[in-house]
Amino acid sequence: MIYPLIGIPAIEKNPLQPFMQYAYTRCLRRAGASVQFLSRNISSDNLAETTDKCAGFLFPGGPDIHPKLYGRLAQPGCGRTDPAQDSFELSLLGTAIKAQKPLFCIGRGMQLLNVAFGGTLLQDMKRRQEYPHYDLLHRAYATHPVDIDPDSLLGQVLKTDTITVNSLHHQAADMIGDGLWISADSPEGFPEALQIEGYPFCLAVQWHPEHMAANTPVQQRLFQAFVEACR
Ligand SMILES: [Mn+2]
C-alpha cells in the first residue's frame, strides 16, 4: 500500500483553520493518503523541494480572491481578500499544472482555478440566487441540488447525474476561463463544478465535500478517486 503525499496550501490568519484542516485531513487519510500543509512563509527552495514530493494537490476553501486578479475593481459585497495568499496559491497551482499532477479544487479552490485560466468571478451572488448558497450553519448537510454532466470526470466518479450539496459560498465563477468547462451547475445556472479540458485528473467543485463525507458516503468517493489518481 502506497500512501501518496497530498499538498494543501495552508490558509493563514483564519481562526477556523484547525477545524478546516482537520476536515480535509480526515477525508484524505480515510482515502489512504498522507497530508502536508504548505505554508506561504517557507523559502522558495524549500517550497520547490516539498512540492516535488507531493503526488497531488488539494486547493481548499478560504477568503475571496482579489478582483484585480481577474481585471475588476472590488464591488460592494466582495468579502475579505488576502492578496499574498492569492499569489502563493496561483504560483503553486501553476507549478502543479505544469507537472500535470492530480488536482482537487474545493470552494475557493475552484474559483482560483477559474481565475488561473483567465475566468472571472461574480463578487456577490446573494441577489441572484433562489437557493441559500451561503449557508454556513449547515456545513454537513445538503442545501441545494446540482445537475452533473454524466460524461465528465465528476459524473464518472459519482456515478450519478444529480446530487444535493452543502453550500458555503457567496461568490461564483462567472466567465469561464479558456480550457475549462462546466461539469455541474445549480438550478439557477451557477457553476458548481469545473473540468480542465484534456488534463489527466482534476476535480473542481464549489461545494465542500470534506464536511459532508462523514454522513454522506457518496461525497467520500471524490477523495477516494483523487487519492487513487495520486497513487
Ligand atoms: Mn452552491
Side-chain angles (χ1 to χ4, degrees), residues 69-71 111 113-121 174-178 180:
L69 291 170
Y70 48 90
Q111 297 174 359
L113 182 75
N114 191 38
V115 170
F117 278 76
T120 66
L121 304 180
D174 192 8
M175 263 176 45
I176 302 302
D178 267 351
L180 300 180

Side-chain angles (χ1 to χ4, degrees), residues 32-157:
S34 51
V35 175
Q36 166 95 58
F37 284 90
L38 307 167
S39 166
R40 71 192 194 203
N41 297 319
I42 66 175
S43 73
S44 52
D45 282 358
N46 217 328
L47 183 65
E49 199 187 305
T50 313
T51 54
D52 234 35
K53 282 188 212 145
C54 292
F57 295 90
L58 186 151
F59 287 84
D64 289 350
I65 292 166
H66 199 287
K68 73 179 177 204
L69 291 170
Y70 48 90
R72 300 277 168 84
L73 295 171
Q75 292 163 358
C78 183
R80 191 176 64 80
T81 59
D82 184 348
Q85 187 71 21
D86 295 341
S87 63
F88 167 62
E89 290 189 22
L90 279 171
S91 105
L92 187 63
L93 180 59
T95 308
I97 289 174
K98 215 165 144 196
Q100 301 271 291
K101 293 200 177 171
L103 300 173
F104 191 2
C105 305
I106 294 179
R108 164 190 165 85
M110 187 193 100
Q111 297 174 359
L112 187 83
L113 182 75
N114 191 38
V115 170
F117 278 76
T120 66
L121 304 180
L122 187 60
Q123 292 186 33
D124 193 16
M125 56 196 276
K126 285 193 200 97
R127 275 166 300 170
R128 295 206 218 162
Q129 68 194 16
E130 290 164 27
Y131 289 87
H133 285 267
Y134 194 48
D135 186 4
L136 301 182
L137 287 176
H138 300 101
R139 272 168 207 277
Y141 301 98
T143 294
H144 69 75
V146 297
D147 285 326
I148 299 170
D149 179 344
D151 296 328
S152 65
L153 175 64
L154 183 70
Q156 287 162 17
V157 168

